[in-house]
Each structure stands twice: as C-alpha cells, then as structure tokens.
Amino acid sequence: MDFSSGRARLKQARLAGDRRELYPHSLQFYLEPPTESISLVEFESFAIDRLRLLKVVENLGVSYVRGSDLYKTKLESELRRLKFPYKALAEDDYEARRKDHISHFILRLAYCQSEDLRRWFLQQEMDLLRYRFHELTDSLRQKFLEHVNLSFEAISEDLKNELANELCTSTPGFGVAKVKEQMFYKVGLVDAVDLFRARRVFIKDGFAYVPFKEIDTIVLNNYRTKLSKALALTARSLPSIQSDERLQPLLNHLSHSYVGPDYSVQKNTGKIYLEQIDGISVKSFPLCMRQLHKALRDNHHLRHGGRMQYGLFLKGIGLTLEQALEFWKKEFIRGKVDADKFDKGYAYSIRHSYGKEGRRTDYTPYSCMKIIMSNPPSQGDYHGCPFHHSDPELLKQKLQSYKIPPSGITQILELVKGMHFQLACQKYFELTHDVDDIGFSLNHPNQYFTESQRLLSGGREPKKELNNSGNFQQKNNSQESMISNATLNSSNTTADAELEGLEAYFTED
Ligand code: SF4
C-alpha cells in the first residue's frame, strides 16, 4: 500500500483505484495485499471501522449462540451500518468489498505485533468468515470454493446410492433420507483431518466423503492455517513497518484500540470526597482499581505502575490535584516514606500528571486495552488487569472473597479462559450491580465507574447502546478528529515515557 495524506489525494486515489475485477466475490481469504494508493485518513477510518466490527463479533460470540437468528441479525445490522459487505448477492458493493479487503490488511499489520493480539484477531476473523460463509447461497458457496482453490468434487448420484449405507452409518445425524437430499464431496484426507479425527465422515481409498454442511469446517481450517502463517510472516516484517514514522503511531494506537472519551476532563472534578473512596472502591471500582486501592491501604505504598494506573484513574473520577496530593501523602507517610521525601519526589510526579509541571501535559487515565496489553505486573506489583494478569486460581479466590456467587465465578473464569477479559469484567459488573445486561460495551475503567455511579445514584438502568460498538459511538465522527486523536494518543505515549522517566528520577519505586 502507498500512503498519501490529504483529501485531494484521497479522492484521486479512489478514482484511480477502481479495480472491480479484484473482488469477484463478496467473501475472500485475503490472499493478496492491496497495492493501491490510500490516504492516511482513509487508512485510519477503515481500520477503526473494522475494529468496531471485530469487537462486535467478539461480543456477540460470547453473548449469543453463534449462528442463532439473533446473532445473525445483530451481525448483519453491524455490517450494514459500517458499510462492509453483508449480503453475498449484493451486486454493486465494490466500495464495501474494497473496504473489507484493505481494512483486513491494516489490522493484520496492527495485530501481528504480539501473540495475544494475533490470537484475538484470528479468532474474530474466523468467526466473521464463518458467519459470512454460512450466509452464501449454495451456488455462491460453490463459486467461492473454486475461487479459493478448494474445489472439491461432488460425488455422483450413482456413487452416493452405492455408498448410502456407509454414509448413513459414518456421518452422525444422517439417515437415508438426509443422505439422499444432501450433496457429498470427495475430499483429500489432509483437508478433512479434523472431521476424520472426530469420526464424522466416511473414509474410503484415502478420501473423506464430506456432507455439504460440514464443508465449512474445512474452509475455516484452511483459512485459519493461511491467516496464522500470514500473521507470522507479517510480524517478521515489523521492523520495516516500525521505521515508518507515519504508520507506527497509527498501528500502535489501533492495537490498543481505544478511541472513546479520554476521561481526562471530568465534569465531576471536586465532587468526590476523600472519605468516600473506601466505600465507592467496593461499590463502583472495577476489579483492577479495587485491587490497587486495597493494596495501597494495606501496604501504604504502590510501586510505579500502580501509582500511574490508579492515580490517573482517581484523577479521571474527579479528584482535584489538592485532593490527590493529600490522598497519596496521607497513605504514604503511614508507611516508610516520610513527609519530606514525599514532598520532594512523589508530589512532583502527581503535579506532573495533572499537567502542572514539565511539559504541562494533561495525562489521560488508562483504557482497558492499554492496561491489558502493556506493562505486565511483576512480583510485588498490583497494577494490570486482574482478569488477564492474575492466576485463575487467585482470581477465583478473590471473586469468592468479594461474594460473587459460584455460578458467576464459573462464567467469569470461562470468559477469562477464552481471553475475553473485558467481557469477564462486564460480567463482574452485572453480578456486583445485580443487573442482567450491562447495556454497554466496557472499554475503560473510568467508564465502569461512571456507569456504576449512574446506576447506583437515581437507580437508572445503565445506558443502552444501539449496538455493541460501545465507546466508538461517542467519538467525533470527523476523520480529521480521528487522526488528531491518534496523534494525541501517540504524543501521550511519548509524554507517558517522559513522565515515567521523570518519576524514576524523582522517586524510588
Ligand atoms: Fe480494569 Fe478494564 Fe480489566 Fe475491568 S477489564 S479490570 S476495567 S482493565
């Protein structure tokens, strides 16, 4: 891809790049990367839309039975809303197909950067392909299979009749009538290895006889293998991507994937009293912040990562600078830090995080993705996301001590096992607030706090969203603002590093 910037370039690139012949099908395996010019504006807008889509795929995958009517309806509506191909039959959806193709490759770049990111991306892309493959008509499915070189040979009626008994006994759920009505394909064992292992197909002379309804397993396995390899290859080319100063901040921003409100400007500033914090930490703090608060009270100290994560969260919920100084000082001088040391070191870094020292940057509280994906805690640290960073057994004990019912703990641990950390946190919210449906998509600890307070004060239901894309909706839609947010976030990253350096200079851990 060639990346140019500016609206004029965008228009030019789109006009010059109309290549309908590249997309004979609405569905693709994304085998060839795009080669056309694309503006940075379009680059980011495509990527953010695909990220929204994949987040919805993730949410739906754990909230509904995949393939159920509700699952399909909700996913189709999101595909329509974001202007991705949603109906295989749609004739004139060149723009949607192009967006689908380019956005997949952009996220591939952003999500090849670590094992966790690759696994998440692969899972969501697989689910998306599964849904879209099922939506194809029989003839389009056949065409697609040929297009991706999976053109399996359908066996003749004569052969099917000849093998009818074997097909019935070897294919679970198939009686004589169903064998007659369904098409069977003769597939090489390499392609049908999963079905063969699960004893779901009839095998003869080195071929599996696969009913049409099982072909999707083969297609998905094939896609998984291709995409896994492609992600590993893309990861190897990371050094050259990282040297592009225009792309790297965008890609990092995408893989941390938070583009909602930054919670640095709070309407609540000054409305929280220090005496309230112990109480609200139990009722309205997400688990990560509840854990940090408890560790601070117990140890009268938090190490650097904890102070950063918790301090910015407290700032986001409304603590003024004066309150923050008082809060941290009171606690620290109960431990090993004397007042003088606090004033000379820690106080500076707190003022710094409120934008009152150094470059006077107003630092933003960390989003869930930032907490989950960066700076994992070591021994003696309490920061991070407990759903991701805690040992499952410890997490279970913690949840038990917080009186979460056993069935709820099982559900949370299942979500954690599937690496759906934010969804596990949503479940924790539902259980601790006694609501059936959280009604929003959780992306930020301060969002958790705000929604909890909204629910607890006034007893209103949590704000319902029209869809599961959550925080993205609250974002200014203009593409310029996306770019400036990305730039802002990337400059915050630089500033974060500066702050960390400063704090290391002024204080000990
Ligand atoms: Fe905190 Fe987000 Fe993890 Fe919840 S999902 S515990 S809010 S980091």
Side-chain angles (χ1 to χ4, degrees):
M1 278 182 277
D2 173 28
F3 306 105
S4 48
S5 56
R7 290 196 167 281
R9 286 279 191 89
L10 163 64
K11 208 172 166 194
Q12 202 179 41
R14 288 164 66 98
L15 286 175
D18 192 329
R19 301 167 177 187
R20 281 163 205 273
E21 73 283 356
L22 286 180
Y23 309 121
H25 298 276
S26 63
L27 195 56
Q28 41 183 316
F29 265 6
Y30 313 100
L31 298 177
E32 295 295 330
T35 51
E36 65 177 281
S37 295
I38 174 173
S39 75
L40 284 171
V41 175
E42 200 174 29
F43 179 92
E44 192 174 22
S45 106
F46 278 10
I48 286 177
D49 278 357
R50 192 169 197 96
L51 202 48
R52 288 173 176 163
L53 178 64
L54 296 187
K55 291 260 177 197
V56 171
V57 170
E58 180 188 25
N59 257 345
L60 292 178
V62 293
S63 308
Y64 302 94
V65 177
R66 287 193 188 90
S68 65
D69 287 348
L70 217 47
Y71 177 92
K72 290 199 278 191
T73 311
K74 287 188 179 274
L75 194 43
E76 178 175 328
S77 110
E78 194 61 17
L79 285 164
R80 277 174 189 259
R81 197 180 72 78
L82 294 170
K83 299 192 168 44
F84 283 104
Y86 64 91
K87 273 254 185 290
L89 286 171
E91 287 289 318
D92 193 21
D93 63 350
Y94 166 70
E95 288 298 338
R97 291 180 188 193
R98 174 176 171 269
K99 178 175 177 175
D100 181 39
H101 181 218
I102 294 174
S103 65
H104 168 91
F105 273 94
I106 300 172
L107 285 207
R108 207 188 258 192
L109 287 177
Y111 278 75
C112 71
Q113 303 190 42
S114 74
E115 185 54 40
D116 281 353
L117 290 173
R118 285 194 288 273
R119 199 176 304 134
W120 184 85
F121 179 70
L122 189 63
Q123 179 63 50
Q124 311 324 321
E125 286 284 341
M126 293 277 295
D127 281 357
L128 185 59
L129 189 95
R130 181 186 292 109
Y131 159 78
R132 292 167 75 185
F133 184 70
H134 280 174
E135 290 303 289
L136 296 179
T137 60
D138 289 356
S139 66
L140 281 171
R141 212 175 287 181
Q142 191 63 50
K143 275 190 193 157
F144 173 70
L145 290 176
E146 282 161 20
H147 179 60
V148 294
N149 289 328
L150 290 175
S151 41
F152 306 121
E153 180 196 340
I155 62 171
S156 66
E157 279 302 304
D158 287 348
L159 183 58
K160 194 163 76 173
N161 289 336
E162 198 181 301
L163 298 174
N165 282 339
E166 288 88 340
L167 292 174
C168 276
T169 43
S170 311
T171 320
F174 273 65
V176 181
K178 207 160 176 195
V179 166
K180 277 204 167 142
E181 139 205 331
Q182 278 248 344
M183 229 184 245
F184 275 77
Y185 292 81
K186 199 172 159 184
V187 175
L189 279 188
V190 177
D191 285 322
V193 72
D194 283 358
L195 294 169
F196 166 55
R197 270 204 209 116
R199 296 168 186 268
R200 298 184 62 80
V201 282
F202 172 59
I203 306 286
K204 188 175 180 227
D205 300 334
F207 286 96
Y209 289 76
V210 181
F212 190 59
K213 81 175 185 65
E214 298 278 20
I215 283 289
D216 66 338
T217 312
I218 294 174
V219 172
L220 284 166
N221 278 342
N222 198 286
Y223 180 57
R224 178 192 289 278
T225 310
K226 287 190 164 72
L227 186 52
S228 301
K229 275 191 196 152
L231 281 166
L233 275 177
T234 314
R236 267 193 244 154
S237 62
L238 269 182
S240 63
I241 296 163
Q242 278 162 344
S243 66
D244 188 321
E245 61 189 27
R246 297 165 307 165
L247 284 187
Q248 188 49 28
L250 289 178
L251 295 176
N252 269 345
H253 170 60
L254 286 168
S255 60
H256 288 77
S257 81
Y258 182 72
V259 284
D262 66 12
Y263 294 100
S264 59
V265 183
Q266 263 295 322
K267 293 184 210 108
N268 279 343
T269 303
K271 291 189 185 155
I272 297 276
Y273 299 104
L274 294 187
E275 307 72 53
Q276 290 178 294
I277 294 183
D278 287 330
I280 54 174
S281 73
V282 174
K283 289 183 188 155
S284 289
F285 282 14
L287 202 53
C288 52
M289 301 304 169
R290 190 171 172 181
Q291 167 174 289
L292 281 164
H293 183 74
K294 185 168 182 319
L296 176 65
R297 288 292 193 227
D298 290 350
N299 307 326
H300 316 301
H301 188 265
L302 279 180
R303 292 172 72 184
H304 173 261
R307 292 198 299 275
M308 295 299 294
Q309 183 176 320
Y310 190 39
L312 290 172
F313 169 79
L314 290 175
K315 175 185 165 193
I317 70 170
L319 243 60
T320 62
L321 172 60
E322 293 67 33
Q323 285 179 308
L325 287 166
E326 186 186 338
F327 173 77
W328 288 101
K329 185 170 182 176
K330 263 189 183 164
E331 202 57 56
F332 270 47
I333 59 175
R334 291 179 66 202
K336 291 183 187 151
V337 177
D338 63 35
D340 191 44
K341 184 175 178 188
F342 184 91
D343 290 340
K344 284 185 180 147
Y346 294 97
Y348 181 93
S349 66
I350 294 169
R351 284 198 301 276
H352 197 288
S353 68
Y354 273 74
K356 302 295 179 200
E357 300 284 359
R359 290 168 65 178
R360 301 190 179 264
T361 309
D362 200 8
Y363 292 92
T364 56
Y366 295 169
S367 69
C368 293
M369 279 306 271
K370 181 170 169 99
I371 294 171
I372 290 169
M373 301 308 300
S374 49
N375 189 23
S378 331
Q379 186 83 14
D381 282 333
Y382 292 90
H383 68 270
C385 170
F387 296 107
H388 180 38
H389 295 118
S390 289
D391 175 81
E393 198 47 44
L394 285 180
L395 176 62
K396 185 175 170 187
Q397 285 170 22
K398 184 165 288 172
L399 294 170
Q400 281 167 339
S401 72
Y402 291 163
K403 308 273 181 288
I404 304 295
S407 60
I409 294 179
T410 309
Q411 285 174 293
I412 289 175
L413 292 177
E414 271 303 305
L415 289 165
V416 166
K417 204 167 147 197
M419 302 189 66
H420 305 295
F421 310 118
Q422 286 155 267
L423 297 176
C425 190
Q426 288 183 194
K427 181 53 72 184
Y428 173 78
F429 184 105
E430 287 166 7
L431 293 162
T432 49
H433 292 75
D434 202 19
V435 288
D436 289 336
D437 181 1
I438 188 172
F440 62 91
S441 183
L442 177 76
N443 288 291
H444 202 294
N446 289 77
Q447 178 195 18
Y448 183 108
F449 175 79
T450 308
E451 294 295 343
S452 169
Q453 288 286 294
R454 187 203 302 274
L455 192 67
L456 296 175
S457 64
R460 273 185 287 159
E461 287 292 310
K463 183 179 49 144
K464 284 268 178 196
E465 288 168 2
L466 290 173
N467 57 59
N468 289 304
S469 57
N471 54 298
F472 294 105
Q473 288 194 322
Q474 298 166 49
K475 187 172 158 52
N476 184 332
N477 276 336
S478 91
Q479 294 180 328
E480 285 81 359
S481 98
M482 287 180 194
I483 284 288
S484 65
N485 267 0
T487 314
L488 181 70
N489 278 2
S490 65
S491 70
N492 274 356
T493 309
T494 319
D496 283 350
E498 184 208 25
L499 180 57
E500 287 173 20
L502 265 172
E503 194 178 14
Y505 179 77
F506 280 103
T507 66
E508 291 160 12
D509 215 25

